[in-house]
Amino acid sequence: MTKQNLLRAMGSTMDFGADRFHNKLVVSAVDDDSSKMDAITAEHITKYYNSRHIINDVSLRIRSGSFTSFIGPSGCGKSTLLRMLANLETPSSGEIKWWGVDKRIIGSPGRRISMVFQEPTLMPWATVLQNIALPLQLQGVSRNETKEAVIKALELVRLQNKEALYPRQLSGGMKMRVSIARALVTDPNILVMDEPFGALDEITRNQLNDDVLRLQHELDMTVIFVTHSIQEAVFVSSELVILRENPGSIAASFTIDKPAELWNSSDEYRISDHYFTMVKEVTQAFKKAY
Ligand SMILES: Nc1ncnc2c1ncn2[C@@H]1O[C@H](COP(=O)(O)OP(=O)(O)OP(=O)(O)O)[C@@H](O)[C@H]1O
Ligand SMILES: [Mg+2]
């Protein structure tokens, strides 16, 4: 496996052929006020696998700093769409821009994307520390810098002192935390998460939902998320998109405003009328789409 493919398998999604463009592009883009800029815009994107039509005419804007979730039944094209938004896959037609520029900007400072997959995809022969360090090592980052970044990433996912353990010694929730730390170690501005907590029990999933919201806030990230659970989507999202199937396209989208008084307590938010009303509204729209 080449370095590039290994990096991609771990969710590091910069465009490897285009480093030479970065300096030129960064100057113009980073000068902009990125908080006002859309992180991603997709216009009329379609995707075919051979002759199978998987995604049809999807246009969307992912605001910088937003938390956008996609929900839809198995096979409707969620992962395919996510991979295109993360630049791991190219649309058959249509255009995607990142921070108003094309894919050449991805990977430059302030313009990084990482992906977390449904399976933690950890290397079984490597310790927690080595797993998290791998994307940086493959990018040729120095030992000292790598160690510093790994320690910070471990703190962010609340796994201090677990660096010497091997994946087989971790619970499912801990493995997912390591996978998130590995995505965070490259300091992403956009974190793309494909059904990251689908295999976890409800208590662990709720904890990780809280953690991801905290990380998004602390690290000032834009998050794109896929889940099968309407409850989870409503809980974490500021924007929620329902996809219909055959081929995958947008059926409905929602903006979810969390009242300020509920921001500080996720437990209260989970049992609030505001939350239940949104869950009901999205459930009704979901039923209409299928
Ligand atoms: N690399 C590929 N080559 C050919 N077909 C593919 C490829 N990847 C996905 N597909 C097909 O595209 C369709 C959408 O797949 P995708 O994985 O995007 O669905 P999904 O909504 O993420 O499903 P799930 O909820 O089960 O993860 C499926 O019919 C799948 O078989
Ligand atoms: Mg999928």
Side-chain angles (χ1 to χ4, degrees), residues 49 52 54 73-80 83 195 228:
Y49 283 122
R52 278 193 63 207
I54 308 294
S74 185
C76 77
K78 302 181 296 294
S79 297
T80 304
R83 287 199 301 271
E195 274 191 68
H228 277 125

